[in-house]
Amino acid sequence: MRNFWLHTLMVTTIVSLCSCKNSYSQDEHKVLPPYNIESTYQKLKNKYPSISPVHLIDTTLTIKKDIVYHKTSTSKLFFDVYFPEITKKTEVFPVVLLVHGGGWIVGSKKNQHPMAQQLALNGYVAIPVSYTLSEEATYPAAVIDLKHAIQYIREHASSLHADPNRIAILGASAGAQLATLVGVTPNNTIYRTQSNTSDAVQAIVNVDGIVSFTHPESEEGTIAGQWLGGTKSENIKNWEEASPLNYVSKSTPPILFLNSSRPRFHAGRDDMITQMNAYDIYSEVHTFSDAPHSFWLLNPWFTPTVFYVIKFLDKTLKHSS
């Protein structure tokens, strides 16, 4: 009976973490469970008995782990690089920076390794990235981190076999909000870094992430508030400033939206597409009507997710004029 209640407590904590709505105390910060592929599977397997966790497959890909791309005042930040098959030293490929989810408070770049592997197998330099989580530093630290990562890629393009003119950013859940915000604020003074290198990207993939914290469809609460430096009523400036919907312009890159069956995880999406259409900017939307949030970490949804991502990136990065 004791084990049952311990299990129930853990599942409840995971649910509150991933929904980004429930409140928690400072003591709970110390015992937050991990947000990863296995914990997601354990959380959802009873409701979806046919699912399975996504795993890496055996390949001969070259992988470089834990490259330091930036040092903050509190820590080093790392990314991993999955290379496609390289046939000559000067060969370059389009790049995808992959941003993990976890409510801006937990999660790991390891969550993006299976997607990175599939992208590399399809001709992309795929880079799962870490960033500063909210218990270490609040907004806008994570946004600036990711802009540093893009700048690092451009500044080290040769050694990474990267085409500096073909960079996409892909994020999932909270990572999708971050990826979209980074993508729609190229070289924006709000998120200034120490480098003059461009942080612009040429495509965005948003996997079940909101694009507005203040939209009527948004239900973000306490965990978002921790990252944004206060609740919506306490710090509305940050809630509005961190909303990608507020930055759509003629320079916004093409966006792919992949969504679950839960409407709150695409808050503001339709309004964003309407604005993009006014500028004749390409976008796609694909919804998995039977899928839970975090579907990208599980079979059977991983394979179609990969399919849509590669199809979109091939169109916008490989075949764009």
Side-chain angles (χ1 to χ4, degrees):
M1 181 62 72
R2 179 175 181 270
N3 290 338
F4 169 79
W5 285 113
L6 287 173
H7 174 75
T8 302
L9 176 61
M10 177 172 288
V11 171
T12 302
T13 307
I14 294 172
V15 170
S16 66
L17 168 65
C18 293
S19 67
C20 303
K21 292 176 67 177
N22 293 350
S23 61
Y24 51 89
S25 68
Q26 291 296 323
D27 289 340
E28 285 175 314
H29 289 186
K30 302 175 183 177
V31 296
L32 282 173
Y35 173 58
N36 55 36
I37 295 171
E38 183 59 30
S39 68
T40 300
Y41 169 68
Q42 293 297 330
K43 170 190 169 184
L44 295 172
K45 66 179 182 179
N46 290 335
K47 185 174 181 180
Y48 300 90
S50 64
I51 66 173
S52 62
V54 172
H55 296 293
L56 292 168
I57 61 175
D58 290 333
T59 72
T60 58
L61 291 174
T62 299
I63 305 168
K64 292 185 178 180
K65 296 286 187 72
D66 293 327
I67 295 173
V68 177
Y69 74 84
H70 183 59
K71 296 179 182 179
T72 71
S73 60
T74 54
S75 62
K76 296 178 181 178
L77 297 171
F78 303 90
F79 61 48
D80 305 328
V81 184
Y82 284 70
F83 292 95
E85 183 180 357
I86 299 169
T87 58
K88 54 184 178 181
K89 289 184 178 180
T90 57
E91 193 170 12
V92 296
F93 304 87
V95 184
V96 185
L97 186 69
L98 298 105
V99 188
H100 69 82
W104 307 276
I105 191 171
V106 293
S108 165
K109 58 185 169 65
K110 291 181 180 179
N111 291 356
Q112 293 285 16
H113 283 175
M115 177 62 74
Q117 184 183 62
Q118 291 298 318
L119 288 170
L121 289 169
N122 283 274
Y124 293 88
V125 174
I127 303 180
V129 63
S130 65
Y131 55 88
T132 306
L133 299 174
S134 63
E135 288 195 303
E136 184 175 340
T138 57
Y139 168 88
V143 186
I144 295 172
D145 293 343
L146 295 173
K147 287 180 176 285
H148 275 295
I150 294 166
Q151 291 169 329
Y152 184 100
I153 291 167
R154 283 205 165 90
E155 292 163 357
H156 298 82
S158 178
S159 63
L160 294 173
H161 292 273
D163 184 340
N165 298 312
R166 293 188 293 167
I167 299 176
I169 187 166
L170 178 156
S173 191
Q177 179 274 326
L178 285 166
T180 308
L181 181 58
V182 168
V184 299
T185 56
N187 309 307
N188 192 300
T189 55
I190 295 173
Y191 307 111
R192 189 185 302 277
T193 71
Q194 293 77 35
S195 172
N196 291 323
T197 302
S198 174
D199 58 47
V201 300
Q202 286 66 57
I204 301 168
V205 178
N206 178 311
V207 185
D208 226 26
I210 66 166
V211 298
S212 175
F213 289 100
T214 59
H215 193 275
E217 297 169 351
S218 179
E219 300 177 19
E220 300 308 305
T222 316
I223 290 182
Q226 178 176 337
W227 181 57
L228 292 169
T231 64
K232 189 183 299 186
S233 61
E234 291 170 341
N235 198 342
I236 187 63
K237 174 183 176 294
N238 281 0
W239 286 64
E240 292 178 341
E241 187 176 276
S243 297
L245 179 62
N246 295 334
Y247 299 91
V248 177
S249 71
K250 63 181 180 180
S251 62
T252 296
I255 302 180
L256 168 65
F257 292 97
L258 297 175
N259 290 124
S260 69
S261 57
R262 301 186 63 185
R264 62 171 293 254
F265 288 106
H266 33 94
R269 179 200 66 192
D270 294 345
D271 286 355
M272 189 168 192
I273 291 171
T274 297
Q275 292 184 29
M276 292 174 64
N277 287 343
Y279 292 107
D280 197 26
I281 299 168
Y282 182 75
S283 64
E284 283 184 30
V285 179
H286 300 282
T287 301
F288 299 107
S289 59
D290 61 337
H293 189 55
S294 298
F295 61 86
W296 58 91
L297 301 178
L298 303 165
N299 298 310
W301 301 290
F302 179 71
T303 297
T305 297
V306 171
F307 171 80
Y308 286 128
V309 168
I310 291 173
K311 182 181 177 183
F312 171 78
L313 293 176
D314 283 353
K315 178 181 179 67
T316 55
L317 293 189
K318 284 188 177 180
H319 302 252
S320 58
S321 58

